Amino acid sequence: MHRRTLLAGVAMTLGLLATGAVAQEPLKVGFIYVGVPGDGGWTYQHDQARKEMEAHFGGKVVTSAIENVPEGADAERAITQLALDGNKLIFTTSFGFMDATANVAAKFPDVKFEHATGYKLAPNLSVYDARFYEGRAVIGTIAGRMTKSNKIGYIGSFPIPEVIQGINSSFIHARKVNPNVEMKIVWAYSWFDPAKEADAASALIAEGVDVILQHTDSTAPQAKAQEAGIYSFGQASDMAAYKPKPRIASIIDHWTPYYIDRVQAVLDGKWESKASWTGIKEGTVQIGEITEAVPAEVKAEAEAVQAKIADGSYHPFTGPLKKQDGSDWLADGQVATDAELQGMNFFVEGITAEYPK
Amino acid sequence: MTLGGIDIVMLIASMMVAATPILLAATGEMVAEKAGVLNLGVEGMMIMGAIGGFGAAVLTGSPVIGFLAAAAAGVVMALLFAVLTLKLLSNQVATGLALTLFGLGLSALLGQGLQGIKPPPTARLPLGPLADLPVLGPIVFGHDWVVYLSLALVVAVRWYLARTRGGLVLRAVGENPDAAHALGYPVVRVRVLALAFGGALAGLGGAYLSLVRVPQWTEGMTAGAGWIALAIVVFASWRAERVLLGAYLFGGITVLQLRLQAAGVAIPVQILSMAPYLITILVLVVMSARGGRARLQAPAALGRPFVAVR
């Protein structure tokens, strides 16, 4: 109790100081990363966006970042540290920071918080996410066409809705172009562990998989795919170093416009708590170059899917779709609601892997 | 030969690859601890080996030079630790932790610009037709030279500690440095050498990650392997052959759980992911339940600073 009042007091003092000197002092913006910017994937993209945002505002904004923060109790300490350091806007960039962010936000009412991929809102806490599953629809199409063994592999991180959406969307679209396709799923239970991701890729390759999709942050599976001479897709970042093979396309997270938008809102005093979920249409989700290893007609097919998603004429989760147990989910032409997607906790029909419970 | 849809031969072969980094690091750490120094900086030495080896291999195009550079990087880290703890008598636990943090940070700095580069491949030993033998081929003859080196080192360390005069002195220094000192043995020098050996092996283990197992450089890529190596030393009650067993058990379960998942075996994956750690804890419990003998097998002077009184 005492500590909390003290923290709040310190925060308020800092707040008063900051507002008092608003004309000269640049706005301080803090970031919490689950991995390191050098992962070449998820955290790298956030870090790039942070730098681009800072450059965009010239000297008006100063940013700082804490790397490699574990998801759990320690995250709360790191976020509190940023708040005490006088950051007025704090981005926490992993799902597992959700509770920690909400707790710290309650203690610092005059600091604005933005949590990536979560769903807990507060007057000073926004959430933002990207519709990665839209990108998955495009690369799932390519995967379904490119596999010769009809087995595609998927390295999952944690069974949370964001990842489940990706698995389902990839599978649905691979099946659409190749009815014989099967999907093998391995859970790494980590966002970032290159050795384990490499082992997971090897395990999938040993099972006869010849296309690998990953939802983990490092480029280790790309290296394994290259060794085995099979195909892979860049995840979160372009992973261009593995072009033109094994990486034949990628899903790129592009956070810069959102970061600029939100920082501008704070500068203008117009920041409001909201849930933002944008995708291919808004440019948050981009598809990296589809390389020459992909036949032209497959590339055209994938780009058609992308175009239909971009202009809003097609939703990746459109009925008829059934759940894994055969029960009905979406009727013909029916489209999944955002609420359904954000709570997605089942595989669609056709995936044979056990849903992790 | 398959079991539950999994090719056992390939499983054992990949288990050996997965276990090699921790086997190398744990063997080295065991020697250092036998001499009475607890170096918690294994993770830091490993990651420095990973980046040092990767950088050198990429620059020269030779994985052998890469591994040599990795060992050198590990030795430099270990000597830093030696100066701090043996010369300046700083606390070993705190210094070891600092060494890990230092190594993680420095390797990230050095690794700027090395991301996404493919290292030169480490060749399999050219054993000719032997590698094509069924069953034995992939398990015994199908590996790169580092796997064989790690196994040879286990044998050599076991032999050295148990059968040679130098090994006896090393153990004496770890059990009772004052007595060893009174007999005229150079306690500090023995400890420095043991630490350097541990550093070299940790460096090799790190390079095996970045040059063979993954193979690429990624910041923080050891992801806790150094800590597992430390746990395996305790698990092995400071015996070389048990270090081998522990490392292969751990590597085996790590690989097995991923293979079971890929094969679609209906075992809850959380339990599989937990399994390596669970078994480590179980073995530790079983061992310490045997009348505290595990504790007795720790070198008596482990972690204690040595000051030559006269």
Side-chain angles (χ1 to χ4, degrees), chain A residues 36 38 184-187 189 192-196 198-200 203 206-207 219-220 223-224 226-227 241-242 354 356-357, chain B residues 5-6 18 115-116 118 209 212-216 218-221 223 254-255 257-259 261-263 266 269-270 273:
Chain A
V36 292
K184 306 261 179 200
I185 302 166
V186 170
W187 296 98
Y189 282 92
F192 177 74
D193 184 342
K196 202 168 187 186
D199 287 346
E207 282 296 318
T219 49
K224 282 289 155 190
Q226 189 163 40
E227 237 176 48
Y242 291 91
E354 188 96 347
K357 289 188 189 77
Chain B
I6 295 176
Q115 276 131 12
K118 193 174 152 57
L209 272 176
V212 181
R213 186 164 161 217
V214 173
Q216 64 175 7
T218 318
E219 253 181 85
M221 67 181 303
T254 309
V255 173
Q257 64 101 350
L258 292 169
R259 294 296 305 275
Q261 284 194 44
V269 280
Q270 290 91 339
S273 299

Side-chain angles (χ1 to χ4, degrees), chain A residues 13 203 262 273 279 308:
Chain A
T13 325
R262 300 306 276 171
S273 170
K308 275 196 296 178

Side-chain angles (χ1 to χ4, degrees), chain B residues 4-95:
Chain B
I6 295 176
D7 186 340
I8 299 295
V9 173
M10 292 313 291
L11 180 71
I12 295 174
S14 58
M15 171 199 85
M16 291 173 74
V17 170
T20 296
I22 41 179
L23 175 62
L24 281 164
T27 308
E29 175 65 13
M30 189 199 77
V31 170
E33 291 191 11
K34 272 288 191 189
V37 213
L38 179 66
N39 184 357
L40 294 184
V42 182
E43 178 93 359
M45 299 190 296
M46 279 185 90
I47 193 104
M48 283 304 289
I51 185 61
F54 188 84
V58 167
L59 279 179
T60 62
S62 157
V64 178
I65 294 178
F67 277 104
L68 287 176
V75 169
V76 170
M77 291 290 281
L79 290 181
L80 185 66
F81 179 84
V83 169
L84 290 170
T85 57
L86 303 182
K87 201 92 194 150
L88 305 173
L89 298 180
S90 67
N91 180 294
Q92 290 182 11
V93 171
T95 310

